[in-house]
Amino acid sequence: MKLDKIADSDFDIVSFDIFDTLIIRPFYTPTDLFYLIENKIQKKLSSIDIYPFHDLRIMAEENARKKCFSEEVTLDNIYEEFKSISTIPANVLEYAQSMEQDLEIELCSKRNSLHKIYSECRKKNKKIIFVSDMYLNEEVILRILNKAGYVEGELFLSSTYGKTKNSGALYDTILKKFPHKKIVHIGDNYDSDYIIPRKKGIQSIHIKKTISNFKKFEIKNSTGIPMTNLNNYFGIRCAYALIANSFFDKTSEVDNTPEALGYVYFGLHLYAIAYWLIEHTQYYKSLVFCARDGFLPMKASKIIKNTLNKNVNIKYFMSSRDCLFPLLFSSNNIEIILNNADYTKFSPADIYDFVKDFLHKNELAVYQDDKNIFKSKTDFIFFLKQVSNSLDKKRLNTYIKHCKTYFDTFFSGSVAFFDIGYSLRTETILKNIYKYNIDSFSICNIKDIALRREELYDIKNHTFYDFTPLNIGGLREALFSKVMGSCVRYTVKNGHIKIVFGKLKFKEENENIIKIQRSALQFVQDFCSTFKDNIQFLKIRNIDSGIFFENFMNSNDKKVFSVFKKCKFEDIFSSKRESMSLYSLCFTKKIHFDKIKKALYYLVCDPRLFLKKFFNFVKRM
C-alpha cells in the first residue's frame, strides 16, 4: 500500500505514530533538547563548570526504566530518579521539568507530507488514532498535536496505558478496542511501527525520518572540507535538523530549484557569517557593509541583531572600485595603481573615462576613443603618469573633500568594515587618505598583500575563513550581491556627493539569484525564530558552516549549476565585461585545460568571452 493512496483505501482506521512521523523537532537527535535546558539552568546553579544536565537526564531515564514495573515510564518517574542521582536543588529540577514540557510544545511542528495525508484521511471520514511510545502525558501530547494542526484523533500513549508499541502490547489494546476493524499503521521506526504491527495483523507502512533522508545527502556532500564530528557540536546538528525538516521530508536528494539551493547549501553559511559579524563587532561604533556584495550579509546581520537584541549600528556603504579609482591619483607615487588595477584589462579610454572630470580642459581628449588594451606594465605606468600630470589638482582635491563629507557619515569613530574580500584595498585607501579608524572583516584573503597592508597601515584584518576557498570571485560575489545596477561613480551636485548607478540590465535573467538569496535569508530567519535567544548557545564553527556551500561551489555537475544558465553578472572594473555568464564561471576556475582546450571550452560555453579574450590576445601580439 502506497502512502498517498491511504485516504482512498478500504481501511477503517488510520493509525499514525507521532514523533518523527506526524511531528518533527529541530534536533538531530531527540535528546538534543536537553542541551537547551542545560544552557538555561546554568545561571540557577553555583557550579564551577557547566553542569552535565544532558548526560544526567539521559541517565535518569535509563535508570527509571530499569526500576519501572510497567513497560513505560512517565516524565514524573524520570525526574524523581534525576533527584536521587543529582545535587540540583528541588526547585531547579522542577523548573527543568516544566521547561522540558514547554520546549517540546514550543519547538515541535507538523511534518508537511504527513499532515497532508492526515488531512486527506479526515476528508474521507477515516477514523484516526495517534499511537506513540512516549513518557510525556496526554495533556502535553495533545497540545503538541493541536498546535501542529492535528485536531482530531484518539490518543494511545504508552505513558497512559503502561504498554508500548515495541512490546506489541499497545497494539493489543488498540485491537481490543476496535475488533474486526481494518487498521493501517504509519510510522518511522522499522521495528515498532512496521514489523511488530504486522505480526499483530495490522497493515503497516514504514516512512523514513527527515533526518535519515538528510544523512544520505550529508555523506555525499561533505567532501573537500574536514568533516565535523556531529556528536561534539550542538549548533551544527540543530542547523542540519532544520534543513532536514524543511527540504528532506520525502527524499534524500535536493531538488535543483533556487529555493532548495538557497536554503540547503547557502543558508547556513550566510547565517554563520552574519552571526560572526554581530558577535565580533558589537563594540564598534558602526558595522559598515560595502555594496554590492555586502548586501546579503547585511540583511542576515539585521535578523541576528534583532534576535539577540544587540546594539550594533548597521550601515550600507555605496561604493565600488570605479568610484574610488580617482582618489588614487592623490598619491605622489602613481605606480600604486598597479595594486588596484590589472593593466591587461584596461585601455587608455577606460582610464580617461574614470578621470575626465578632473583633467584640464581638452587634456588627453585624444585618448577617449583609444580602446586598445595596454600591452605592458611599462605602457600602463607611463600613461598613468601622463594622466597625473594632466590633472587639475584643485578640482581633484575639492572632489576628495566632498567625498569626505559623504564618507564621514559611515566612518566616523571606530568602524568594522565588511567586504567580501579579498585584499584590504578599500580599507587602505580610506585609511590613508582620510585617516579613518577602520578594521576589516571579509570572507578570506587571496594574496599576502592583505597581510602586508594590515601590518603597514595598522588595519586589523579579520577573515571568516583562515584558508582560501578554491572557487572565489564571480559566482560567490553574485550570490552575496544585490541584484541592482552597479555604483559606477560619484559626482558632486550642489556641494554634495551624488551616487551614479549603472543601468540594471539583468533583473529578469537573475531572478533565480534573487530566489536563492530569499531562501538563504529564510534559513537565517527560521533558525533565529526557532531558537530565539538560545542561538548564542548554538555555536557553529566557521569552517563547518561552509561544508555544503563550498562543496556546491566546487562541483563540476552541470545539473547542479543549470539554475544559473540565464544568470548574468557584470564586473566593469576588474574584467571590463558588462555581461558575464555565471554558468560559465561555475566551471572555468575549476577545470585545468591547456591553452588550446581552454579556448575551445570558452568557444562552446561562453562565445562572448572567447571573442573578448581572442581580440585582446591579437592586440597584444
Side-chain angles (χ1 to χ4, degrees):
M1 171 62 67
K2 291 185 177 181
L3 189 61
D4 58 0
K5 302 296 183 183
I6 291 294
D8 295 319
S9 69
D10 60 352
F11 289 105
D12 303 305
I13 299 172
V14 181
S15 168
F16 291 96
D17 170 54
I18 297 177
F19 293 95
D20 293 318
T21 302
L22 292 178
I23 294 295
I24 50 178
R25 298 175 173 115
F27 299 118
Y28 202 85
T29 60
T31 56
D32 279 348
L33 173 71
F34 306 151
Y35 280 122
L36 285 185
I37 303 172
E38 180 174 293
N39 289 325
K40 291 282 191 181
I41 68 170
Q42 294 303 320
K43 293 181 180 179
K44 295 182 177 293
L45 303 173
S46 57
S47 175
I48 63 170
D49 196 359
I50 293 175
Y51 188 83
F53 178 90
H54 170 272
D55 296 343
L56 291 175
R57 167 63 179 79
I58 293 173
M59 186 191 306
E61 183 173 341
E62 291 172 349
N63 291 352
R65 290 187 183 281
K66 291 175 183 177
K67 296 178 181 180
C68 187
F69 293 108
S70 67
E71 292 182 7
E72 186 60 280
V73 297
T74 66
L75 194 62
D76 287 338
N77 297 148
I78 294 170
Y79 274 87
E80 278 298 317
E81 179 61 25
F82 204 135
K83 188 184 298 183
S84 71
I85 64 173
S86 75
T87 56
I88 296 182
N91 66 316
V92 177
L93 269 184
E94 290 173 7
Y95 171 73
Q97 181 175 350
S98 176
M99 186 190 306
E100 181 172 338
Q101 295 178 105
D102 291 344
L103 285 173
E104 290 279 19
I105 296 167
E106 176 187 338
L107 295 174
C108 285
S109 59
K110 70 181 178 185
R111 183 171 178 177
N112 289 328
S113 62
L114 270 296
H115 187 269
K116 181 180 179 181
I117 301 299
Y118 163 82
S119 299
E120 290 172 352
C121 289
R122 283 189 65 196
K123 289 178 183 177
K124 298 290 184 176
N125 296 314
K126 298 287 185 185
K127 170 71 176 178
I128 294 172
I129 62 176
F130 306 121
V131 186
S132 181
D133 286 350
M134 188 52 169
Y135 47 77
L136 295 172
N137 62 42
E138 286 194 5
E139 179 187 356
V140 173
I141 297 297
L142 286 173
R143 287 181 65 185
I144 290 171
L145 289 168
N146 292 339
K147 174 176 170 282
Y150 303 103
V151 295
E152 182 180 304
E154 189 171 348
L155 195 59
F156 289 84
L157 280 185
S158 60
S159 58
T160 300
Y161 290 90
K163 301 174 183 179
T164 65
K165 292 185 299 177
N166 195 49
S167 71
L170 192 56
Y171 291 117
D172 291 335
T173 300
I174 293 169
L175 289 169
K176 186 176 181 180
K177 184 164 186 178
F178 303 110
H180 314 300
K181 295 293 183 180
K182 194 171 182 182
I183 305 172
V184 62
H185 179 74
I186 303 164
D188 67 280
N189 188 294
Y190 189 75
D191 289 324
S192 64
D193 288 317
Y194 182 72
I195 297 297
I196 294 174
R198 285 184 173 242
K199 289 180 179 179
K200 296 292 182 179
I202 296 174
Q203 183 64 269
S204 60
I205 299 175
H206 177 246
I207 61 165
K208 290 184 178 180
K209 298 178 176 69
T210 61
I211 204 69
S212 296
N213 288 331
F214 172 81
K215 285 178 180 179
K216 292 183 179 180
F217 165 84
E218 180 187 352
I219 291 170
K220 290 193 299 184
N221 288 273
S222 298
T223 58
I225 289 181
M227 183 60 183
T228 296
N229 183 345
L230 288 173
N231 292 326
N232 294 334
Y233 292 94
F234 178 42
I236 197 79
R237 291 203 308 273
C238 290
Y240 282 0
L242 202 61
I243 293 170
N245 292 340
S246 298
F247 281 90
F248 293 86
D249 189 341
K250 297 187 288 186
T251 179
S252 61
E253 300 293 331
V254 177
D255 292 335
N256 196 40
T257 63
E259 291 78 9
L261 296 180
Y263 203 95
V264 175
Y265 290 106
F266 192 19
L268 174 57
H269 182 58
L270 178 64
Y271 167 83
I273 290 169
Y275 188 91
W276 170 71
L277 286 169
I278 294 299
E279 187 177 46
H280 288 86
T281 63
Q282 55 187 306
Y283 299 112
Y284 289 86
K285 183 176 180 181
S286 300
L287 169 56
V288 177
F289 291 86
C290 188
R292 289 176 292 175
D293 48 38
F295 171 72
L296 212 61
M298 180 264 294
K299 298 285 282 186
S301 295
K302 285 184 176 180
I303 294 172
I304 293 172
K305 168 194 168 181
N306 293 335
T307 301
L308 295 177
N309 197 27
K310 295 289 187 181
N311 186 26
V312 179
N313 185 24
I314 292 176
K315 297 181 179 181
Y316 191 48
F317 175 54
M318 302 305 306
S319 185
S320 68
R321 279 175 283 178
D322 306 53
C323 294
L324 298 177
F325 189 78
L327 302 181
L328 296 173
F329 285 92
S330 65
S331 172
N332 293 324
N333 308 113
I334 206 65
E335 299 90 332
I336 65 164
I337 292 179
L338 284 174
N339 294 331
N340 295 271
D342 179 357
Y343 76 92
T344 64
K345 306 286 176 55
F346 287 89
S347 68
D350 296 324
I351 304 301
Y352 176 85
D353 188 57
F354 284 132
V355 299
K356 61 186 177 183
D357 293 340
F358 313 109
L359 295 171
H360 289 293
K361 190 173 182 179
N362 297 325
E363 288 278 349
L364 305 183
V366 67
Y367 292 107
Q368 61 184 322
D369 296 318
D370 185 353
K371 297 183 179 180
N372 296 303
I373 301 299
F374 291 105
K375 294 181 179 179
S376 68
K377 286 184 182 179
T378 303
D379 291 344
F380 187 53
I381 292 172
F382 281 153
F383 185 75
L384 291 176
K385 288 182 177 180
Q386 192 175 353
V387 170
S388 181
N389 292 332
S390 301
L391 287 172
D392 183 333
K393 299 294 186 182
K394 184 176 180 181
R395 288 166 64 191
L396 179 61
N397 289 334
T398 300
Y399 173 77
I400 291 172
K401 289 178 182 178
H402 285 306
C403 285
K404 184 178 186 302
T405 303
Y406 171 63
F407 296 161
D408 282 350
T409 62
F410 295 94
F411 299 107
S412 60
S414 62
V415 172
F417 182 76
F418 177 83
D419 192 0
I420 195 169
Y422 303 96
S423 59
L424 275 68
R425 180 189 293 109
T426 300
E427 297 91 324
T428 299
I429 292 171
L430 293 174
K431 182 153 192 176
N432 285 331
I433 294 178
Y434 297 106
K435 310 306 178 187
Y436 291 130
N437 182 15
I438 300 176
D439 285 345
S440 174
F441 289 79
S442 62
I443 301 299
C444 64
N445 298 144
I446 59 174
K447 295 179 180 178
D448 74 345
I449 193 170
L451 306 180
R452 289 187 282 145
R453 282 169 170 156
E454 175 185 21
E455 180 65 27
L456 285 170
Y457 303 115
D458 193 25
I459 301 173
K460 290 182 181 178
N461 178 26
H462 306 271
T463 57
F464 183 76
Y465 284 151
D466 60 1
F467 63 93
T468 304
L470 291 177
N471 186 12
I472 58 173
L475 177 59
R476 191 181 299 262
E477 291 177 19
L479 290 172
F480 277 80
S481 299
K482 185 175 183 179
V483 176
M484 61 177 289
S486 62
C487 178
V488 295
R489 69 181 67 233
Y490 300 135
T491 60
V492 180
K493 187 173 182 180
N494 299 324
H496 297 285
I497 287 293
K498 180 180 170 144
I499 301 167
V500 179
F501 294 95
K503 184 179 179 182
L504 175 57
K505 304 173 184 177
F506 310 119
K507 185 170 183 180
E508 185 175 340
E509 292 89 336
N510 287 339
E511 188 61 34
N512 281 348
I513 292 288
I514 296 173
K515 290 177 180 177
I516 288 173
Q517 292 175 341
R518 286 175 184 161
S519 190
L521 284 172
Q522 188 61 56
F523 172 87
V524 177
Q525 184 62 65
D526 288 350
F527 196 81
C528 289
S529 60
T530 298
F531 296 105
K532 299 173 184 171
D533 58 338
N534 290 302
I535 66 171
Q536 59 191 308
F537 302 118
L538 276 59
K539 300 296 185 184
I540 297 173
R541 297 187 305 174
N542 295 354
I543 190 172
D544 295 339
S545 78
I547 287 175
F548 296 153
F549 181 68
E550 299 303 337
N551 184 273
F552 168 77
M553 293 292 287
N554 295 328
S555 172
N556 285 319
D557 188 341
K558 291 184 178 180
K559 182 180 177 182
V560 169
F561 289 123
S562 62
V563 71
F564 299 115
K565 276 192 173 180
K566 293 183 179 180
C567 296
K568 304 289 185 182
F569 186 65
E570 62 175 335
D571 188 356
I572 304 300
F573 192 91
S574 292
S575 65
K576 306 310 298 175
R577 298 184 64 211
E578 296 183 2
S579 173
M580 290 186 288
S581 163
L582 277 187
Y583 184 67
S584 65
L585 286 177
C586 294
F587 303 103
T588 56
K589 291 199 174 186
K590 296 187 287 290
I591 305 177
H592 302 285
F593 297 100
D594 60 39
K595 289 185 177 181
I596 295 176
K597 289 182 178 179
K598 192 169 184 179
L600 290 173
Y601 175 79
Y602 283 136
L603 180 62
V604 173
C605 294
D606 194 343
R608 292 183 65 183
L609 180 57
F610 170 81
L611 291 173
K612 181 76 172 179
K613 286 181 173 291
F614 176 74
F615 288 131
N616 287 344
F617 172 75
V618 171
K619 288 176 183 179
R620 290 196 296 269
M621 291 181 64

